Amino acid sequence: GAGVSQSPRYKVAKRGQDVALRCDPISGHVSLFWYQQALGQGPEFLTYFQNEAQLDKSGLPSDRFFAERPEGSVSTLKIQRTQQEDSAVYLCASSRDGTGNSNQPQHFGDGTRLSIL
Amino acid sequence: EDKVVQSPLSLVVHEGDTVTLNCSYEVTNFRSLLWYKQEKKAPTFLFMLTSSGIEKKSGRLSSILDKKELSSILNITATQTGDSAIYLCAVVDLYSGGGADGLTFGKGTHLIIQP
């Protein structure tokens, strides 16, 4: 597609439920990033993929958070046993290169707004 | 720990005014600084700055990096109501997360342009 596509746009879940958020990056983009944006804050890095390899997951807040990109394209961020503090906008971004030395900007999707009741 | 500080956090001006948004950073190994505009949806890319003193320009928007002062400014001239948004500054640190491409963001400047 023309841009990064995320679904669903909004997700409401009860505390304790598992959720799965999808990201479809720009076609051909090697790098894929997930960010978490709390209200009134800038996005915070969660995890990074280069093709199908998850090279960095240092930003994942707990072991309840899990991300995958099995075929190097679409990625899913899964949150198990959700808690209220997981409520945030989850942004996905992709960039063309994946060398770790890229001068290509990241392009963001519209995000998934997750609300945990 | 990398740090990006934006100021002001919010700004209200009238249409036609010129605004200057500030971003200062502390990173271990700076590689680049990026500006994004965020309305209600995706942050949209504005500029990427890697070299000091070289102004990047796009229409009424321009930005420049000062590596000596560890800062950048984003200027918007002849503001319009459509410029109302949150402007995010982010830096790339060679040794930070994300395979050295992960962005560290500031909290953003919430700009409101009144008609």
Side-chain angles (χ1 to χ4, degrees), chain B residues 4-115:
Chain B
V4 179
V5 178
Q6 292 187 244
S7 64
L9 289 182
S10 64
L11 183 59
V12 181
V13 299
H14 290 289
E15 213 169 11
D17 289 350
T18 292
V19 298
T20 299
L21 310 182
N22 301 285
C23 176
S24 64
Y25 59 88
E26 292 176 28
V27 299
T28 309
N29 287 279
F30 174 87
R31 193 165 89 228
S32 57
L33 183 145
L34 294 88
W35 284 96
Y36 285 85
K37 176 182 181 183
Q38 186 174 29
E39 296 170 269
K40 299 212 170 180
K41 300 181 182 177
T44 53
F45 172 74
L46 295 175
F47 300 110
M48 175 185 272
L49 305 160
T50 54
S51 300
S52 216
I54 298 174
E55 185 183 56
K56 293 220 172 175
K57 204 167 164 59
S58 175
R60 296 175 294 100
L61 277 68
S62 63
S63 184
I64 195 161
L65 176 68
D66 186 338
K67 282 187 179 179
K68 193 174 168 187
E69 297 295 326
L70 307 182
S71 65
S72 173
I73 59 170
L74 175 68
N75 278 322
I76 309 175
T77 58
T79 51
Q80 302 171 358
T81 54
D83 296 327
S84 296
I86 296 172
Y87 289 84
L88 293 165
C89 172
V91 296
V92 179
D93 179 349
L94 270 175
Y95 299 123
S96 75
D101 279 329
L103 298 171
T104 300
F105 282 89
K107 290 186 178 182
T109 292
H110 189 183
L111 177 64
I112 297 172
I113 310 297
Q114 290 182 334

Side-chain angles (χ1 to χ4, degrees), chain A residues 28-33 48-50 94-105, chain B residues 101:
Chain A
H29 275 199
V30 170
S31 295
L32 185 146
F33 303 82
Y48 160 67
F49 290 86
Q50 187 181 116
S94 70
S95 66
R96 197 178 70 192
D97 294 335
T99 61
N101 191 29
S102 171
N103 279 325
Q104 295 298 316
Chain B
D101 279 329

